[in-house]
């Protein structure tokens, strides 16, 4: 559908939604090159509302003078507040501009509803082998290797240059074939798997791995530089640049080593995501602040959404600390608000502050356990009626039926006075929920038992 609209030069305003490195910006640039419209590339991290107003005015003037439309590409559009996003509405409505917005966040939550109704949302998924990610990697390798081949040629002896012109450098196809042969299929597979569908990450890692190989190829050439009068027999006494080039291979191990320097493995939808948050939660519950901070760091450095962690901290404040330290809950809520207001990387210390505080705080699961018993009782037992003296009586009929009669208004009695009044239904009379759960005790054998 999009392809047909682009070829017809009738691209509507769209929001490109997808994770990092899946080609949102690249797709926008392809649209720009294919259509006849003027293309302006902007970013919410580097441009403000005033810049947008100027771009809109330029687009308006261009259309009036040359009848040429303008496509404005705004990267990270979710970084503009919903109020700021209102600026697009009149210009999209009048057809002054066509907006292409790119976001990694869910548009339903981060994009103005009025703007969403005027745009088509296109979802881009993580890249995979089926999407041609292997071809992208090999194409990037050809570009990188060609730069290195130019440097390598400057280090070659005349004899090596002659051999090069009849082997690797015979023609463009020979160069491409050689580059393809240097990359082992397993290395490509590792690049795709470790990058988790992020094309940018895969290419960056590939460049580092190839750069490391080039260092080995071009190293020690001060001692190995051959003068023009050096005989071929002497030049073969040690491997030269060309021999190193011919034997070089980009292996899976080289990819893994390069990846360790650029990317911490972490899948926000996979097992590791839940393993790390579970480890942090249990470390807080166990009172180990050092371990809790470590697991927090593992998640943040790997790119975890800080608000997800802050939400879990709010839950922990009531589940694990509870009434032992009631200030933990407002602390956790304040941390969530701090993450909302300043975001990463600044909010990392706010999260660390909260995690350390909660790990060192006294713990009580009384409320958590009590509410668990409440849910079990409600789901398994009879739905007992509200005692008549506790019922609301807003009408005369209800009062005549006895609703609210014999209710004792507690503030009318002296403070601390024991008032004989039941609040639970008769079927649950004297039932205790709070604090009524078994606790481990240390036995004479030195082991803990219920």
């Amino acid at each position: 559908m999009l392809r047909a609209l682009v070829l017809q030069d009738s691209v509507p305003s769209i929001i490109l939604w997808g994770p990092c490195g899946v080609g949102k910006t690249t797709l926008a640039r392809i649209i720009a090159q294919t259509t006849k419209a003027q293309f302006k590339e902007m970013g919410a991290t580097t441009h403000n509302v005033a810049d947008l107003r100027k771009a809109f005015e330029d687009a308006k003037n261009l259309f009036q003078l040359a009848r040429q439309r303008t496509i404005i590409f705004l990267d990270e559009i979710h970084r503009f507040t919903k109020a700021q996003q209102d600026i697009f509405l009149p210009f999209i409505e009048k057809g002054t501009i066509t907006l292409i917005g790119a976001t990694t966040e869910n548009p339903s939550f981060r994009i103005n509803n009025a703007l969403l109704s005027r745009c088509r949302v296109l979802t881009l998924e993580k890249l995979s082998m089926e999407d041609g990610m292997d071809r992208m990697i090999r194409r990037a390798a050809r570009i990188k290797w060609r730069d290195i081949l130019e440097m390598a040629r400057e280090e070659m002896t005349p004899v090596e240059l002659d051999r090069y012109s009849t082997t690797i450098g015979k023609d463009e196809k020979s160069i491409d074939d050689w580059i393809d042969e240097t990359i082992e299929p397993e290395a490509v597979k590792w690049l795709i798997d470790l990058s988790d569908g992020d094309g940018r990450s895969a290419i960056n890692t590939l460049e580092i791995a190839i750069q490391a190989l080039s260092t080995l190829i071009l190293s020690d050439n001060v001692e190995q530089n051959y003068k023009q009068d050096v005989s071929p027999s002497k030049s073969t006494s040690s491997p030269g640049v060309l021999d190193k080039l011919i034997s070089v291979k980009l292996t899976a191990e080289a990819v893994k080593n390069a990846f360790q320097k650029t990317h911490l493995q972490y899948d926000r939808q996979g097992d590791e995501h839940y393993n790390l948050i579970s480890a942090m939660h249990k470390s807080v519950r166990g009172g180990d602040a050092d371990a809790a901070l470590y697991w927090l760091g593992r998640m943040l450095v790997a790119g975890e959404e800080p608000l997800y962690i802050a939400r879990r901290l709010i839950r922990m404040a009531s589940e694990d600390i509870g009434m032992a330290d009631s200030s933990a809950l407002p602390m956790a809520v304040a941390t969530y608000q701090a993450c909302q207001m300043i975001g990463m990387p600044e909010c990392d210390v706010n999260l660390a502050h909260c995690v350390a505080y909660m790990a060192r705080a006294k713990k009580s699961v009384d409320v958590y356990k009590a509410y668990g018993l409440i849910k079990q009782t409600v789901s398994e037992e009879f739905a007992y009626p509200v005692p008549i003296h506790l019922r609301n009586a807003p009408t005369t009929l209800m009062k005549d039926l006895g609703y609210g009669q014999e209710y004792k208004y507690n503030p009318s009695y002296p403070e601390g006075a024991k008032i004989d009044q039941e609040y639970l239904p008769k079927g649950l009379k004297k039932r205790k929920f709070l604090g009524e759960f078994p606790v481990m005790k240390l036995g004479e054998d030195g082991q803990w038992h219920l």
Side-chain angles (χ1 to χ4, degrees), residues 195-266:
S195 63
D196 192 29
D198 185 337
R200 187 183 299 110
S201 173
I203 290 175
N204 290 342
T205 304
L206 174 71
E207 288 183 346
I208 290 175
I210 292 176
Q211 192 65 46
L213 290 177
S214 71
T215 302
L216 296 175
I217 293 169
L218 301 175
S219 63
D220 302 324
N221 283 314
V222 173
E223 294 80 10
Q224 293 181 15
N225 276 339
Y226 299 94
K227 296 182 180 179
Q228 292 188 11
D229 59 348
V230 174
S231 65
S233 60
K234 290 182 181 179
S235 67
T236 57
S237 60
S238 60
V241 174
L242 183 59
D243 292 326
K244 291 179 181 179
L245 277 173
I246 292 173
S247 62
V248 72
K249 291 289 182 185
L250 181 63
T251 63
E253 192 62 32
V255 168
K256 284 186 261 186
N257 291 337
F259 210 85
Q260 290 174 1
K261 300 171 187 176
T262 62
H263 188 80
L264 186 61
Q265 297 180 45
Y266 187 66

Side-chain angles (χ1 to χ4, degrees), residues 171-185:
D171 51 36
E172 292 297 314
K173 185 178 183 304
S174 299
I175 294 176
D176 288 342
D177 291 343
W178 171 79
I179 293 173
D180 290 342
E181 290 175 3
T182 64
I183 307 175
E184 295 183 351

Side-chain angles (χ1 to χ4, degrees), residues 72-97:
I72 291 183
F73 172 68
L74 183 62
D75 198 14
E76 304 286 342
I77 189 173
H78 60 271
R79 293 185 180 272
F80 276 7
T81 66
K82 290 187 176 182
Q84 289 174 319
Q85 292 168 18
D86 280 338
I87 191 175
F88 292 101
L89 300 179
F91 298 97
I92 294 176
E93 196 73 35
K94 294 176 184 177
T96 306
I97 65 161

Side-chain angles (χ1 to χ4, degrees), residues 385-394 402-410 420-426:
V386 176
I388 197 166
H389 67 283
L390 297 181
R391 297 182 189 183
N392 188 32
Y403 283 25
Q405 292 181 10
E406 299 183 7
Y407 170 67
K408 298 171 183 176
Y409 184 62
N410 298 65
D420 185 19
Q421 183 164 250
E422 291 292 336
Y423 298 96
L424 280 171
K426 287 185 178 180

